[in-house]
Amino acid sequence: MNRRIPCAGGIVFDDAARLLLIRRGRPPAERLWSVPGGKCEGGESPADACAREVAEETGLQVDVVRVAGRVERPAPGGDVFVIDDFVCRVVGGALQAGDDASEARWVDLADLTALPLTPLLFETLRSWDLLPA
């Protein structure tokens, strides 16, 4: 039976309305750009997982502002990642890639359209009206 794996992602903008992206350093989607995020740990709420993952992957401390939406993506072995994404605001820290992120940076719309992104990231952000300036 296929498992549904709870995950969370953070959609974070800076004061210039640029979006925070990380380049994945490990599978799945290794070398592709995405919003920071990952699996929820046992007993952890998706919102708490979002804040933890953003901090681990980018060095930035965030507060969750609101739910952006939920997506489902294929996981290895036929499982499914169920990803709750949240809009967040930076409250501290300094941008530095960490954990399984090989790079982290702020991107504008032109950057976003030029980078190799995880599948459906652009379309999902557009449908939620969350594209960078």
Side-chain angles (χ1 to χ4, degrees):
M1 184 170 157
N2 296 349
R3 293 181 310 138
R4 295 174 57 80
I5 302 166
C7 302
I11 299 170
V12 186
F13 293 95
D14 68 3
D15 292 337
R18 296 177 301 172
L19 177 66
L20 178 63
L21 290 185
I22 56 106
R23 189 171 195 176
R24 298 193 50 84
R26 297 184 204 150
E30 185 174 6
R31 295 187 299 277
L32 297 180
W33 290 87
S34 187
V35 297
K39 296 177 191 171
C40 299
E41 296 178 352
E44 184 179 42
S45 74
D48 288 345
C50 170
R52 177 184 51 77
E53 286 285 345
V54 171
E56 289 175 359
E57 294 182 346
T58 71
L60 297 174
Q61 305 299 316
V62 298
D63 282 342
V64 170
V65 175
R66 66 177 176 85
V67 173
R70 174 180 279 179
V71 297
E72 295 187 4
R73 297 291 181 259
D79 293 335
V80 176
F81 292 125
V82 179
I83 308 164
D84 289 309
D85 286 306
F86 298 88
V87 175
C88 304
R89 65 180 174 87
V90 176
V91 294
L95 184 60
Q96 179 176 337
D99 194 32
D100 64 351
S102 61
E103 296 178 59
R105 70 181 195 195
W106 298 104
V107 301
D108 61 19
L109 186 58
D111 295 328
L112 185 69
T113 60
L115 290 171
L117 303 174
T118 54
L120 300 175
L121 177 63
F122 184 89
E123 295 83 354
T124 301
L125 292 172
R126 183 176 55 206
S127 75
W128 292 341
D129 198 23
L130 289 171
L131 290 173

